[in-house]
Amino acid sequence: MTATATAEDHLATGDSINEQLSAGISLDAAATHLGITPKWATKLAWLSRTFKVADREKIGAENLARLRITHLEAIAGQQEHLRVPLLITAAEERLSVRNLRQRAAGLRSSCRLADEATDTVERSGGPDAMRSTERALTRYARMPKDQLLRIYTGKSGPYIAGVIRAAHQLEARITQEDGEILSVPSIDGNLI
């Protein structure tokens, strides 16, 4: 298959391999017939079974045409209910495989935290966690620009951006509740 083959093309080839396997044709023979290696044939057959026709219909042919096999591989190990939304997002936002993996990792973390949390407010947002986040953001705000940019464009960047975004959303929600800003005691006991 060529480098320009889309995810849809690869899945169709995987379907063909699976049909041949169901008909009793060996993997080696199916691969030879298609002019690909058995290892490649195994991968395509696996992806075809992982992303069933119903999933592909939800993703849509136009979106599948925007994706590459590496997008499929990056998401194949995800929980089944996350695969389709992640691939739709990847296609619509034209995410690189790297960005798609980061998005998937974020979803896994969110799902894991949601599953683990029973006292969600206290457990995931208690005073210790909030204190730590505040200290980190204060430290970042005081850093020299070049050092901050190195951190922000590195592994921590998406998390810093996420905290900032979440803080803005929380601020908007608090100010929307009854149209007033709530006062809270500061660490030293004065009202903020």
Side-chain angles (χ1 to χ4, degrees):
M1 301 205 75
T2 66
T4 59
T6 65
E8 186 175 35
D9 298 331
H10 288 297
L11 290 170
T13 303
D15 292 342
S16 172
I17 294 165
N18 284 324
E19 287 172 12
Q20 292 178 55
L21 294 173
S22 293
I25 298 171
S26 73
L27 181 69
D28 288 342
T32 301
H33 175 71
L34 293 168
I36 58 177
T37 66
K39 185 176 179 179
W40 189 249
T42 301
K43 180 184 291 191
L44 295 177
W46 167 66
L47 289 170
S48 167
R49 289 188 306 273
T50 301
F51 298 100
K52 298 176 179 35
V53 173
D55 294 334
R56 297 179 217 171
E57 288 172 359
K58 289 177 192 170
I59 296 166
E62 188 176 316
N63 283 336
L64 283 170
R66 291 183 189 138
L67 300 171
R68 300 285 175 246
I69 191 168
T70 50
H71 288 97
L72 298 176
E73 290 175 289
I75 297 305
Q78 292 292 316
Q79 295 174 3
E80 195 169 336
H81 71 281
L82 297 177
R83 290 181 199 145
V84 170
L86 280 167
L87 287 175
I88 290 171
T89 299
E92 290 176 352
E93 295 181 19
R94 300 188 189 277
L95 294 177
S96 68
V97 173
R98 180 179 181 209
N99 289 340
L100 177 59
R101 284 189 178 118
Q102 288 175 339
R103 182 82 54 99
L107 282 175
R108 277 194 312 270
S109 292
S110 296
C111 289
R112 189 170 38 253
L113 285 174
D115 290 344
E116 291 172 358
T118 52
D119 304 328
T120 53
V121 172
E122 192 56 39
R123 202 158 171 203
S124 65
D128 290 339
M130 294 295 103
R131 203 171 7 262
S132 174
T133 301
E134 179 188 17
R135 276 195 309 265
L137 293 179
T138 301
R139 208 170 32 248
Y140 295 146
R142 293 178 180 159
M143 282 181 182
K145 186 176 181 179
D146 61 328
Q147 187 179 358
L148 174 61
L149 289 175
R150 241 187 343 271
I151 291 171
Y152 194 69
T153 58
K155 289 181 180 180
S156 297
Y159 299 105
I160 295 168
V163 168
I164 293 167
R165 203 172 26 259
H168 287 300
Q169 291 170 346
L170 181 59
E171 178 184 41
R173 178 158 183 227
I174 289 171
T175 58
Q176 289 173 358
E177 300 289 327
D178 299 325
E180 63 183 64
I181 298 176
L182 304 174
S183 296
V184 295
S186 68
I187 296 167
D188 60 10
N190 297 323
L191 286 182
I192 297 177

